[in-house]
Amino acid sequence: MDLHSLFGLGGRRALVTGGSSGIGLAIAGALATAGAEVVVAARGRDRIDETVAGIRSAGGRAAGLVADLSTRAGCHELADAAGPIDVLVNSAGINIRPPLSDLDEDVWDATMSVNLDAPFILGQRLAPGMIERGYGRIISISSQQASRAFASSGAYGASKAALEGLARSQAEAWTASGVTSNVLVPGFVLTPLNRRLASDPGVVASLAARTFAGRNGLPDDFAAAAIFLAGPGSAYVTGQSIAVDGGFSVH
Ligand SMILES: NC(=O)c1ccc[n+]([C@@H]2O[C@H](COP(=O)([O-])OP(=O)(O)OC[C@H]3O[C@@H](n4cnc5c(N)ncnc54)[C@H](OP(=O)(O)O)[C@@H]3O)[C@@H](O)[C@H]2O)c1
């Protein structure tokens, strides 16, 4: 057994939604380092181009696709454009955070569309090819708020709880055909998603104090876990929600 047979992604193609920022950006770079050709999808062309250029300049293979996952049509367009995909990473996500009493149906629908409907549609569209080729890995990014409420979990927590359920359903359906589905569960990670919360030093310190590591998460904390879940060595790990949170969830 060698490292490549456990973690190598040579010859694999990975689609990383939200791969132009934060956790998705780090995962895109990590999968390219392990040998995958990475397709980065998001709305903003500039950040996609920067990401693709960064991966290429580090010696990796990457391409970018502009995609808006807030509509079902946008999800289907991405699936049409992506070509054969072996590893699907659902990192695109939004968190609008109004207090629940102020949360209207538009916020609910917008949250569910990006955080839950897009992973569902992309799974339905891309898994058949994975099954046909006998290899597939679906990795979704959930949240502590899937299982505990804090910081106005609102629609966001509900969408992430459902995303974890979706991953278990995908695992049930497709693992015997070589396609696993797992979830990485961050704690509080300093990314643009959390710009508003992160601007309050008191909040940042109190969230760091809820970890055992004594610090909040960084996007690169997800790199090794993503390579593991994308690679051949994790074939028997499926339907799991794996915390990458410095101990936040067990404190
Ligand atoms: N940061 C945390 O503390 C934390 C904690 C728990 C869970 N998470 C989850 O981790 C994932 C990544 O979060 P992050 O912190 O890395 O966020 P981020 O830095 O804000 O990145 C979000 C990414 O999603 C893309 N995106 C947003 N809306 C989109 C849409 N409608 N269509 C296509 N792409 C879209 C963004 O690009 P464009 O804006 O250009 O489209 C960006 O690439 C999310 O699912 C989030 O819920 C994060």
Side-chain angles (χ1 to χ4, degrees), residues 30-109:
L31 299 185
T33 301
E37 178 188 350
V38 176
V39 180
V40 173
R43 289 166 304 178
R45 165 61 70 190
D46 290 352
R47 288 197 296 175
I48 292 175
D49 288 348
E50 270 171 47
T51 305
V52 168
I55 291 173
R56 288 183 181 162
S57 71
R61 288 178 307 145
L65 288 173
V66 173
D68 184 354
L69 301 177
S70 66
T71 68
R72 292 183 180 190
C75 298
H76 285 289
E77 276 168 31
L78 175 59
D80 289 339
I85 293 296
D86 307 300
V87 178
L88 167 64
V89 179
N90 296 304
S91 190
I94 58 170
N95 189 354
I96 304 174
R97 300 182 201 275
L100 190 61
S101 308
D102 302 334
L103 197 155
D104 61 23
E105 292 174 13
D106 289 343
V107 168
W108 179 268
D109 288 345

Side-chain angles (χ1 to χ4, degrees), residues 20-21 23 43-44 67-69 91 141-142 156 160 187 189 191 194:
S20 63
S21 178
I23 295 169
R43 289 166 304 178
D68 184 354
L69 301 177
S91 190
I141 313 300
S142 168
Y156 180 80
K160 295 298 189 179
V189 187
T191 70
N194 287 327

Side-chain angles (χ1 to χ4, degrees), residues 123-207:
Q124 295 301 104
R125 291 290 313 276
L126 300 176
M130 297 177 185
I131 292 166
E132 210 176 288
R133 292 184 297 278
Y135 187 97
R137 299 285 184 264
I138 301 173
I139 304 167
S140 298
I141 313 300
S142 168
S143 165
Q144 292 301 317
Q145 286 161 302
S147 46
R148 52 187 60 75
F150 62 96
S152 292
S153 293
Y156 180 80
S159 73
K160 295 298 189 179
L163 181 61
E164 295 193 12
L166 173 67
R168 288 188 287 270
S169 298
Q170 291 172 329
E172 177 195 17
W174 300 328
T175 301
S177 306
V179 180
T180 65
S181 181
N182 290 287
V183 176
L184 292 176
V185 190
F188 181 68
V189 187
L190 297 162
T191 70
L193 184 85
N194 287 327
R195 203 173 279 124
R196 190 161 54 85
L197 271 186
S199 66
D200 181 336
V203 170
V204 172
S206 73
L207 288 167

